[in-house]
Amino acid sequence: MRAQFEDAFCKGKPLGYSSHDRGRLTPSLLSPSCLAVSGQTFSCRPKTVSLVAVAFSALVLLSTPSLQADWLHYRGPAQNGVSPEKGWNAQFPSAGPSVLWKKKLGKGTSAVTVKGDRAYTMGNAGGKDSVYCFNTKTGAELWRHDFPLELDPNMFEGGPRATPTIDGDLVYTVSHQGDLWCLNATTGAKVWYKHYQRELSGKRPTWGYAGSPTIVGNMVICDVGAPGASTIAFDKATGAIIWKSGSDGAGYSTPVAATLDGRPTIVIFKADALVGLDQKTGAELWRTPWKTDYDVNAASPLIFGSDRVFITSGYNTGCAMFQVSGGQLRQLWKNKNLRAQINSPAPWEGRIYGTDNNASGNLVCLDASTGEEIFEERTVKGATLIATDAKLIVLTEKGELVTVDASKPAFRQIARAKVLENRCWVQPTLDAGQLYLRNNEGDLVCLQLK
């Protein structure tokens, strides 16, 4: 039964899942190589059977035609760009999939998160940032939380860089200036508020705060970049500080929760280092320097199994795989086969897919064990992507939606269509057969892939 659960929930093989309020999956059902998100939650919505039945019958689980997990965090249920969802349609005509609804949000690179029938994202227009909540079926705006903030278009369109994080009845957002909001997920009402710079002495990175909040147990983890408080764990219900750690400058990536070498860890890509912190106390467990021009460490770390961490950055810096063992970080390999400047890569079946910004933004695929290049695809450029059901869902910088067969170590396009205009740097979101795509100008489209 354990192997069947691993196959169903951890096909991407880097991370696993814990429990959520719509039924329970206990960690004992998943192997340590899969279970890496400690204290986090997700919800599953099998189409034909309840999750209670799934917990008692792996056979029923494997016969279910579709499995969805709510997209509560940036980069999905396991914070790695991998979804357990099955049963969606990768084939579509040259005009693209059916459009369910469209919205104009204001500028920004905030992605979409989803819980049940509610979708959340952010945008900036008219001198204010807005946090939006939409009905997933109709696109109806359920609520909007506005606050004054400049656009700050520094060599790109500007607007909010981070993505809302959902936990139970609360949603957490961060602005590029460090406005940290905890809002009621149903009404949008303020629950609590902090400001990274004004209240916590945070030093804003050149291109603004971009890391999304990460939920771990009763805490929300944030990359603040303050002296003596570079990373802060807030009580997710009240905003009270539980612990503070380090003095590194803030990076642009999102903290990742994982269990590495048997220890619950926060993995965080700072301005010039990769750092591992104890989840409970914030104590530093390990670090390695990683210097990128202009301190642009932006792609989120990937966790492989129970002891490996992958990072990549642009400006001809490259990528590396590290192993955590005995409290030490050991480099397994390092090269320049993937130099992802902004867009985070995604894993599938021992491979890493990402955008190499020093090769005209081409899509590349690496062997995760060795770092060797498996292929480089010149027809897919500047891509954001996710992996699911042995396929890739790719949004190119120019707004092309491309689906790719990831079942074998070779590039095979399934379908392609132009779905958005203008520049696209925002990662796709897939939930319940609906695909959410957005460009930097703020055009959001919800496509039907059932």
Side-chain angles (χ1 to χ4, degrees):
M1 184 172 182
R2 169 179 289 185
Q4 290 167 317
F5 266 87
E6 287 173 358
D7 181 67
F9 286 98
C10 301
K11 193 66 174 177
K13 299 265 168 70
L15 289 179
Y17 312 93
S18 59
S19 60
H20 192 58
D21 51 4
R22 300 191 188 184
R24 290 293 186 188
L25 286 179
T26 62
S28 63
L29 292 172
L30 303 175
S31 76
S33 66
C34 277
L35 185 62
V37 182
S38 176
Q40 295 189 40
T41 61
F42 84 112
S43 77
C44 286
R45 303 195 297 280
K47 272 189 172 181
T48 61
V49 3
S50 73
L51 189 58
V52 174
V54 171
F56 287 97
S57 174
L59 178 62
V60 173
L61 170 67
L62 296 176
S63 66
T64 303
S66 180
L67 180 71
Q68 298 97 29
D70 275 339
W71 203 271
L72 306 178
H73 283 81
Y74 173 64
R75 309 207 69 223
Q79 293 188 278
N80 63 351
V82 175
S83 168
E85 185 149 342
K86 297 178 182 292
W88 59 277
N89 186 14
Q91 295 278 3
F92 45 81
S94 58
S98 298
V99 177
L100 289 178
W101 48 267
K102 295 181 178 180
K103 289 292 175 180
K104 194 80 173 176
L105 306 173
K107 295 181 180 180
T109 54
S110 177
V112 176
T113 44
V114 180
K115 181 180 179 182
D117 60 359
R118 292 173 179 250
Y120 303 83
T121 190
M122 301 169 68
N124 182 288
K128 63 180 181 293
D129 262 19
S130 298
V131 183
Y132 293 94
C133 176
F134 298 111
N135 180 281
T136 59
K137 303 305 179 186
T138 66
E141 184 179 304
L142 301 178
W143 56 259
R144 187 175 75 191
H145 174 80
D146 299 329
F147 58 99
L149 198 67
E150 74 279 7
L151 182 64
D152 189 36
N154 186 359
M155 301 177 68
F156 77 113
E157 291 78 2
R161 288 73 154 154
T163 297
T165 301
I166 311 163
D167 183 75
D169 293 327
L170 301 175
V171 59
Y172 304 85
T173 69
V174 176
S175 78
H176 69 79
Q177 289 287 10
D179 298 91
L180 172 61
W181 293 94
C182 173
L183 305 174
N184 183 288
T186 302
T187 67
K190 171 188 169 183
V191 178
W192 55 264
Y193 170 85
K194 301 289 182 181
H195 197 283
Y196 287 2
Q197 297 186 81
R198 292 195 300 264
E199 298 180 48
L200 304 165
S201 301
K203 184 179 179 181
R204 179 183 183 271
T206 302
W207 284 277
Y209 289 105
S212 303
T214 292
I215 302 298
V216 178
N218 68 326
M219 300 178 293
V220 55
I221 311 296
C222 298
D223 187 5
V224 174
S230 177
T231 307
I232 298 181
F234 300 93
D235 184 291
K236 67 183 184 183
T238 67
I241 294 176
I242 296 176
W243 55 253
K244 301 181 287 187
S245 180
S247 296
D248 297 280
Y252 297 95
S253 74
T254 294
V256 174
T259 296
L260 291 168
D261 195 28
R263 296 196 65 167
T265 304
I266 299 296
V267 181
I268 188 162
F269 206 9
K270 293 292 189 176
D272 59 4
L274 174 68
V275 180
L277 305 176
D278 181 89
Q279 285 186 13
K280 186 175 180 180
T281 67
E284 185 173 303
L285 303 176
W286 43 260
R287 74 163 48 229
T288 187
W290 190 270
K291 180 64 178 173
T292 304
D293 288 354
Y294 313 105
D295 292 335
V296 181
N297 288 337
S300 294
L302 284 179
I303 310 302
F304 283 83
S306 60
D307 63 351
R308 290 180 295 156
V309 183
F310 172 84
I311 55 173
T312 178
S313 61
Y315 295 101
N316 202 34
T317 303
C319 59
M321 184 74 77
F322 298 92
Q323 183 179 45
V324 183
S325 179
Q328 302 294 319
L329 197 65
R330 180 171 68 93
Q331 181 179 297
L332 298 179
W333 55 260
K334 181 180 181 181
N335 60 44
K336 295 187 178 182
N337 290 338
L338 177 57
R339 294 156 289 187
Q341 183 171 322
I342 298 172
N343 301 327
S344 298
W348 192 262
E349 292 292 351
R351 299 182 290 275
I352 300 168
Y353 296 87
T355 296
D356 184 34
N357 288 88
N358 286 84
S360 301
N362 296 334
L363 175 69
V364 299
C365 175
L366 307 185
D367 184 312
S369 298
T370 65
E372 294 179 1
E373 182 182 290
I374 295 174
F375 69 75
E376 178 181 333
E377 179 54 41
R378 291 173 171 80
T379 68
V380 180
K381 295 183 181 294
T384 61
L385 57 90
I386 59 175
T388 175
D389 198 19
K391 304 174 189 71
L392 304 180
I393 297 176
V394 178
L395 180 64
T396 71
E397 189 173 42
K398 293 184 177 181
E400 290 181 301
L401 172 62
V402 185
T403 51
V404 178
D405 183 353
S407 63
K408 296 179 181 179
F411 179 81
R412 188 178 78 82
Q413 178 179 299
I414 300 171
R416 181 187 294 245
K418 178 80 169 177
V419 295
L420 285 169
E421 300 295 331
N422 301 308
R423 182 158 56 179
C424 302
W425 285 357
V426 184
Q427 187 181 72
T429 294
L430 179 66
D431 183 87
Q434 294 179 198
L435 180 66
Y436 302 84
L437 302 175
R438 176 189 174 166
N439 63 20
N440 298 12
E441 291 290 334
D443 300 304
L444 171 64
V445 60
C446 178
L447 304 176
Q448 178 64 268
L449 294 187
K450 286 184 180 178

